[in-house]
Amino acid sequence: MSPEAVSRTISLIIAPAVMISACAILLGGLLSRYSSINDRLRSMVRERLDLLSAVDEADLGPVARTRLDLLNYQVPDLMRRHRQEHNAIVTTYLSILVFILSMLILGIAATTSLDLVASAALFVFLFGTILLSFAVVLIIGEVRNSLVAVSYEVTQVFHLKDKPPPKS
């Protein structure tokens, strides 16, 4: 293989390497969000357990009852968001795997000079791009759902009646 062919092959392999780097940057943010949702989920479940263990559910005051209702609504929603984030992370890791596979196929195509192998490398690369695009769609959906969840909680809390001042 001539030096020019090696140079051309290396330049062809750079595109999937750049995509892998982009996936790694994206994964950093995804894993941070995933961890944050995980921590929030555990905190909400702990709070729910504390509310239920403090008193009998029938004896809860109006504020505690409202908080319990909020938790009962939000925990399943947060679980859906957690699953959605998980799916985005797995899809991003799969796209990295596909980009690595496309790099290997490009290397094989360069050494064998078979058009079929070169076409396969292109299709594998495009499949990795489709996977990454799907992960981004999942992320967009989860970010939208997080806005809905926060808006719901804020709205519910602001609909609580103010407590009257204590009598002196």
Side-chain angles (χ1 to χ4, degrees):
M1 187 179 251
S2 71
E4 293 83 23
V6 171
S7 175
R8 189 171 32 105
T9 303
I10 290 172
S11 66
L12 287 173
I13 292 176
I14 288 177
V18 168
M19 294 300 286
I20 291 170
S21 298
C23 288
I25 292 168
L26 181 64
L27 273 171
L30 287 174
L31 291 170
S32 176
R33 285 186 61 81
Y34 186 73
S35 175
S36 178
I37 292 170
N38 185 51
D39 294 345
R40 179 71 176 137
L41 190 56
R42 289 178 183 273
S43 165
M44 290 175 90
V45 168
R46 177 85 245 147
E47 183 181 357
R48 186 178 189 284
L49 285 173
D50 290 346
L51 277 171
L52 291 175
S53 66
V55 292
D56 186 17
E57 191 173 342
D59 297 333
L60 287 175
V63 173
R65 177 79 240 163
T66 300
R67 183 62 187 153
L68 189 59
D69 290 343
L70 280 171
L71 292 171
N72 288 339
Y73 175 81
Q74 287 182 313
V75 167
D77 182 59
L78 201 55
M79 273 302 300
R80 278 189 297 277
R81 287 180 46 213
H82 193 257
R83 196 172 310 108
Q84 203 170 8
E85 197 75 28
H86 173 268
N87 291 341
I89 289 169
V90 169
T91 305
T92 305
Y93 275 121
L94 283 174
S95 66
I96 289 174
L97 184 63
V98 170
F99 288 133
I100 291 171
L101 183 61
S102 76
M103 290 168 71
L104 292 172
I105 295 172
L106 277 169
I108 293 169
T111 57
T112 61
S113 299
L114 294 173
D115 289 339
L116 182 65
V117 179
S119 295
L122 175 63
F123 286 119
V124 170
F125 181 83
L126 291 175
F127 180 65
T129 305
I130 290 169
L131 278 174
L132 185 58
S133 299
F134 182 66
V136 170
V137 168
L138 288 172
I139 296 162
I140 290 169
E142 194 282 318
V143 168
R144 186 202 171 283
N145 290 340
S146 76
L147 174 65
V148 171
V150 170
S151 298
Y152 173 79
E153 183 171 6
V154 169
T155 302
Q156 293 300 312
V157 169
F158 273 97
H159 279 89
L160 289 174
K161 298 208 184 305
D162 290 334
K163 201 173 180 184
K167 294 182 183 180
S168 302

